[in-house]
Amino acid sequence: MTTAAPRSLADALRAWPDDRLARLLQARPDLAVPIPSDAGLLASRAASSLSVRRALENVDARRLSLLETLAASEGPMPLPEADADAAAGLEDLALIWGGVPEWHLVGSVRDVLTTGTGLGRPVAVLLADHTGSRLQLLEEALGAIGRDQLLQRLTDPDSIRALLDKAGPQAQAIVAQLAAGPPFGKLKDARRLTPLDEVDSPVRWLLSRGLLVGIDDETLELPREVALVVRGAPAAARTEPALTTTKVGVKDIDRAAAHEAADVVNKVEKLLESWSDDPPSVLRSGGLGVRDLKKAAKDLDITEPAAALLIEVAYAAALLDQTPSVDPDWLPTPAFDRWLALPPEDRWLELARAWIGMPRMPALVGSRDERDKARAALSQDVDRAAAPTDRRRVLDLLLETRAGQAVSEETVVSVLAWRAPRRGARLRDLIPSWILGEVAALGLSGRAGLSSFSRLLLDGHDRDAARALRDLLPEPIDHVLVQ
């Protein structure tokens, strides 16, 4: 007895066992708030645009290319057997449903992937009104018999590439320009198709082979499938870039990291001691003034971005806060006195844990917002709910390297971009670079390699991490000899 194929996403979810539904809610936690009462409600949430956007942020390049393939089609379609595991992963995220032989794309996924991307409509839609002699001319040009075979030639990436390879440089340049978006061009008598022996221009060459389609008497449209091939999708990289490393040595990495860790602790102490005597004022709009940030950087002999990082970390560690007065100042909190009584390794531990979990992005300090206003340190303008997750992605990737190995910024950026191409939007490649700089500045890494005490911290062994750092720090000086 065969199981009937599901007729909708809700129908598919009803057939899932409890453990699979639990994994879906773990992967997409927004679906569980509040707890859905039935599969229909769960399917409705899973198909909402906002939830889909969140889910797509954690889809890797290979799976994203499959979604783009499905998005290029107006209906269900099969996927290559080689991509069965990737398709199963997308099904587990409730982004597709159905299974072999044909997969269905959740409707809002298509909208999210194609809206605002500069992509045209699928070729099946553009050729829907091609009948009679117009259809026959295309079939003859592509050696196809019937509409189905014609559409197969114009949707298969390899077939499209072969056609583009035969196009001249001018025709290829036209396609490249339209593929970047918008997908429309102008041409007099655009709907007219020319027999191959009468083609007299690059545009007519493309029209005669279905690589461009006339949608009215003066407008051309580039089919979505052609644009995706030219852009490199769905022919995206199928394998993750290698995480290349160089050998440095555990001792060298640990010594360099411990030096930075000790320096961070000393600078935070010096900064907050000076603010105890001369506290800066809180801006009317909230945050720290530019002059106060410049002064802090000068006093500590560091750059302004480095000073902003230390200030933000001290605030996240509850060592610093604004006073509850009409004209508030930034002052150390009572927790600062307790922090000063701790040994250096424990002071660093509190700073590192605060940085890992703080929902703020210090690297945004000084950048311009949508109103062209500079973002201030300690202001709401640098709040970023996704910051802890972004940090953990970078740190987890560093944990994948062997102890004593250094990794380049370029490698980290490329691997994370492959694992989540849509995460971070225009800041996608900048965020890992910012985080790597903070990792080094705070002493979690040294010479571009993750330290042994940081590995212990990230694995949840806080006390072991503190002891490992203590053994690397110089003995504190508790007396002065005067001669």
Side-chain angles (χ1 to χ4, degrees):
M1 180 178 179
T2 58
T3 304
R7 295 168 295 177
S8 65
L9 176 60
D11 198 17
L13 293 176
R14 289 188 187 99
W16 284 19
D18 290 346
D19 60 337
R20 191 178 186 189
L21 289 171
R23 289 196 298 272
L24 170 62
L25 297 179
Q26 289 173 344
R28 298 177 63 177
D30 59 300
L31 302 182
V33 182
I35 299 296
S37 57
D38 55 38
L41 181 56
L42 178 60
S44 177
R45 288 185 192 172
S48 70
S49 295
L50 180 58
S51 182
V52 164
R53 290 180 189 278
R54 289 172 176 167
L56 289 177
E57 287 188 349
N58 297 308
V59 171
D60 64 34
R62 182 186 177 196
R63 290 181 172 89
L64 187 62
S65 72
L66 293 183
L67 290 176
E68 289 172 337
T69 299
L70 288 170
S73 171
E74 286 297 291
M77 64 178 293
L79 291 174
E81 289 187 12
D83 292 320
D85 59 331
L90 292 171
E91 185 184 25
D92 288 340
L93 289 172
L95 295 172
I96 62 175
W97 59 275
V100 179
E102 290 186 327
W103 291 98
H104 296 254
L105 187 70
V106 172
S108 54
V109 176
R110 178 179 286 107
D111 296 336
V112 170
L113 288 177
T114 58
T115 300
T117 61
L119 292 172
R121 291 171 291 174
V123 69
V125 174
L126 297 178
L127 296 182
D129 65 343
H130 281 51
T131 58
S133 61
R134 295 181 75 199
L135 188 64
Q136 185 179 354
L137 284 171
L138 284 176
E139 291 174 355
E140 291 175 356
L142 299 181
I145 301 174
R147 183 182 294 272
D148 289 345
Q149 195 174 103
L150 175 65
L151 293 178
Q152 193 278 329
R153 300 276 172 86
L154 290 174
T155 55
D156 177 65
D158 292 334
S159 176
I160 293 172
R161 289 190 197 95
L163 285 171
L164 290 173
D165 287 342
K166 296 177 182 178
Q170 287 181 298
Q172 292 173 349
I174 292 169
V175 172
Q177 181 179 353
L178 295 179
F184 305 106
K186 293 292 183 180
L187 178 70
K188 184 178 180 180
D189 200 11
R191 291 172 59 85
R192 176 174 61 86
L193 288 182
T194 309
L196 296 183
D197 57 356
E198 297 179 16
V199 169
D200 58 0
S201 71
V203 173
R204 291 292 175 192
W205 191 97
L206 295 167
L207 281 169
S208 68
R209 288 157 176 82
L211 296 175
L212 282 179
V213 178
I215 58 176
D216 59 35
D217 289 339
E218 58 179 23
T219 308
L220 306 168
E221 186 170 345
L222 184 73
R224 183 181 301 170
E225 295 86 346
V226 179
L228 289 173
V229 167
V230 174
R231 290 184 180 188
R238 290 184 171 270
T239 57
E240 181 176 318
L243 185 62
T244 55
T245 59
T246 55
K247 186 176 181 180
V248 175
V250 174
K251 290 183 178 180
D252 288 342
I253 288 175
D254 282 355
R255 276 197 295 265
H259 174 79
E260 293 298 330
D263 191 50
V264 164
V265 170
N266 290 334
K267 281 184 167 60
V268 169
E269 178 181 347
K270 180 179 179 181
L271 171 73
L272 296 187
E273 289 283 12
S274 68
W275 283 11
S276 296
D277 299 329
D278 185 18
S281 299
V282 178
L283 294 174
R284 289 185 180 276
S285 58
L288 182 71
V290 174
R291 290 183 179 179
D292 292 313
L293 178 62
K294 289 180 179 293
K295 183 177 185 302
K298 183 178 180 181
D299 292 344
L300 297 175
D301 194 23
I302 55 178
T303 64
E304 290 175 33
L309 172 62
L310 296 183
I311 292 167
E312 289 285 351
V313 171
Y315 176 70
L319 306 180
L320 170 69
D321 206 348
Q322 55 181 294
T323 57
S325 56
V326 177
D327 296 314
D329 295 322
W330 291 108
L331 269 176
T333 65
F336 176 58
D337 294 327
R338 178 195 57 81
W339 183 78
L340 284 176
L342 296 174
E345 63 272 15
D346 286 336
R347 287 196 240 171
W348 176 85
L349 194 65
E350 290 202 4
L351 296 176
R353 284 188 301 211
W355 172 79
I356 292 171
M358 69 182 192
R360 298 173 63 75
M361 191 69 72
L364 290 173
V365 173
S367 65
R368 297 281 172 176
D369 62 15
E370 297 78 11
R371 298 165 295 173
D372 197 34
K373 179 183 176 183
R375 295 183 174 93
L378 299 175
S379 71
Q380 294 182 351
D381 294 335
V382 296
D383 283 345
R384 289 295 182 273
T389 303
D390 289 329
R391 284 190 202 99
R392 195 70 215 201
R393 289 180 70 235
V394 173
L395 294 169
D396 285 345
L397 184 59
L398 295 179
L399 279 173
E400 294 178 21
T401 63
R402 293 183 179 181
Q405 299 286 328
V407 62
S408 70
E409 177 182 314
E410 182 182 0
T411 292
V412 171
V413 170
S414 64
V415 170
L416 291 178
W418 188 93
R419 291 183 180 180
R422 292 177 62 88
R423 187 175 184 86
R426 62 185 179 83
L427 298 179
R428 184 193 68 184
D429 296 340
L430 286 175
I431 290 174
S433 298
W434 291 343
I435 293 172
L436 284 173
E438 293 173 3
V439 167
L442 294 174
L444 281 91
S445 70
R447 298 187 61 183
L450 195 63
S451 70
S452 58
F453 54 87
S454 296
R455 290 175 184 272
L456 291 168
L457 170 63
L458 297 173
D459 283 336
H461 305 295
D462 292 19
R463 298 316 311 158
D464 292 335
R467 283 190 287 269
L469 175 58
R470 180 188 61 200
D471 294 340
L472 293 165
L473 296 174
E475 288 293 329
I477 298 174
D478 58 1
H479 64 277
V480 177
L481 180 62
V482 179
Q483 292 183 326

